[in-house]
Amino acid sequence: MEKKRSSFTGKLGFVLAAAGSAVGLGNLWRFPYLAAQYGGGIFLLVYAILSVTFGFSLMVAEISIGRKTGLSAIGAFQKLNKKCTFIGYLAAIVPAMILPYYSVIGGWVIKYLVVFTTGQADVAATDGYFEGFTASTGQSILFFSIFLAITAVVVLFGVEKGVEKVSKIMMPILVVLSVGIAAYVCISNALNGDWDGILYYIKPDFSNFGIMTVVAAMGQLFYSMSLAMGIMITYGSYMKKDVSIESSSHQIEFFDMGVAFLAGLMVVPSVVSYSGIEGLNKGPGLMFVTLPKVFNDMGPVTGNIVGAVFFVLVLFAALTSSISLMETVVSIIQDKFHIERKLTCLIVLIGAFLIGLPSALGFGVWSGVSLLGMDILTFVDFVTNSIIMPIVAILTCIVICYVIKPKAVIEEVEVSGKFHLKKLFNVMIYVAPILLLVILVFSVFEAFDITFGGFLKF
Ligand code: PFF
């Protein structure tokens, strides 16, 4: 049941919508803690290189497939070749796996928004506050449910347009506020002669480089740019023929990387100045542990105001992303089973709640559960980002190289003008699957702690 395709009005419309899906918790919450964990400056460098080469090529490829076929992931792969339909299904599983735990983090954002709007910056800044909150069963479930319910209501009533409009205003404010907070953090660190954190984040230290730096950066790239999960194929299917795929991809990439970089600049130097380099290993809680301390230092009134405004903006960035995640899942189920939209939304809501529950409880009553040494949320995150997405990306590249041939993508890009980085694309599309395969194998080794007697050091 193919709905009539509407299109984005123009390039700006396309870029903003795609950036709205791309910029979210991945940039603000996930990027800083990975950068902190995987070597700081060297992670930044690896991420930037992968983004402009590999990320760019895959983005161009996905948008082109979407625009060429005029269909979303499953239909698009099917149209390219019947035998490839399974890739579409594999890609479609990813949003269904991400949505539940994405909503757990979204719940944390709502909790902090409540804390700051009720003037409790000093409470949020106390040591152990975040751990206490996430350990509480009632609170974790409550805020996770609120976030999921808001997402479902928007998808159910089809008011995405309204949210998108608001977020088009919110996003630029988020960028401005982030620049302000990052500047505040850096200047106050510099005035105290405290350069360690800033240098750790900005200056690549090659002794911190390891294969896991590449694994983590690649997983983050997919997640953050909404790649290898069929999303950009769907967006491409709505794109008009006269809009440039190449320059749109550059802009999305630039916007996405910019916000991630700023988020790291707010978080990483602050962690180092509050708790030293050892503090960087906080994992998923990093943003929620550090930023409240930064806000609290601004004084009781300013701190609560800046904190509240910041978390409202983060909430909007998170919502635009979670809405596009849920929308994708709903439309796939609807197309496949021809179920009515309201019922589908309800099924997805209940499903996401049940699937997300273990992730929400993994920091409290189920904190004893350790999957390959990870808490439940981190484990689900690992499986989607470091296993399934690389597989989808490898298969997508293989389809392009050997089924439709790179020429098909190039022709689609050239419909709207010259393809400036054609050579890069032609090389990357063949190199990428090999690189991805190596990365995939290493990440599995790492997860199972296989080091061949120390031969492989992660
Ligand atoms: N790219 C989003 C982020 O960085 O937060 C996550 C995401 C949103 C992935 C929407 C996929 C998607 F459809």
Side-chain angles (χ1 to χ4, degrees), residues 103-144:
S103 304
V104 173
I105 320 289
W108 296 352
V109 175
I110 296 183
K111 164 76 184 178
Y112 276 76
L113 175 58
V114 172
V115 169
F116 280 94
T117 39
T118 50
Q120 303 177 66
D122 51 338
V123 181
T126 45
D127 283 334
Y129 180 78
F130 174 76
E131 288 77 5
F133 152 61
T134 48
S136 137
T137 306
Q139 295 240 351
S140 305
I141 297 180
L142 175 70
F143 288 101
F144 156 54

Side-chain angles (χ1 to χ4, degrees), residues 193-341:
D194 189 358
W195 287 95
D196 289 358
I198 301 174
L199 289 179
Y200 177 79
Y201 185 57
I202 301 218
K203 201 168 139 226
D205 176 351
F206 288 86
S207 67
N208 283 339
F209 181 81
I211 188 74
M212 280 317 284
T213 318
V214 187
V215 173
M218 193 64 117
Q220 172 63 11
L221 190 68
F222 294 135
Y223 188 92
S224 188
M225 289 171 67
S226 301
L227 291 171
M229 50 184 113
I231 306 278
M232 285 301 157
I233 299 185
T234 309
Y235 277 92
S237 72
Y238 293 112
M239 190 193 215
K240 280 195 175 153
K241 289 281 185 193
D242 59 352
V243 174
S244 163
I245 295 181
E246 185 176 18
S247 73
S248 305
S249 299
H250 281 314
Q251 285 171 2
I252 301 167
E253 188 186 285
F254 177 77
F255 205 62
D256 195 59
M257 206 154 57
V259 176
F261 174 74
L262 278 176
L265 206 52
M266 285 189 273
V267 174
V268 179
S270 334
V271 187
V272 177
S273 68
Y274 286 110
S275 23
I277 296 279
E278 317 77 63
L280 291 170
N281 273 329
K282 278 261 184 308
L286 197 68
M287 171 177 134
F288 299 92
V289 174
T290 337
L291 285 182
K293 292 191 202 293
V294 175
F295 298 146
N296 190 43
D297 276 359
M298 295 176 176
V301 178
T302 320
N304 278 303
I305 295 173
V306 175
V309 174
F310 178 78
F311 282 107
V312 170
L313 299 170
V314 175
L315 183 60
F316 267 88
L319 277 174
T320 49
S321 295
S322 67
I323 290 163
S324 80
L325 282 166
M326 189 181 272
E327 182 67 53
T328 313
V329 182
V330 167
S331 58
I332 289 168
I333 296 183
Q334 246 191 316
D335 284 357
K336 186 76 200 148
F337 301 102
H338 306 293
I339 312 175
E340 192 218 346
R341 190 175 167 88

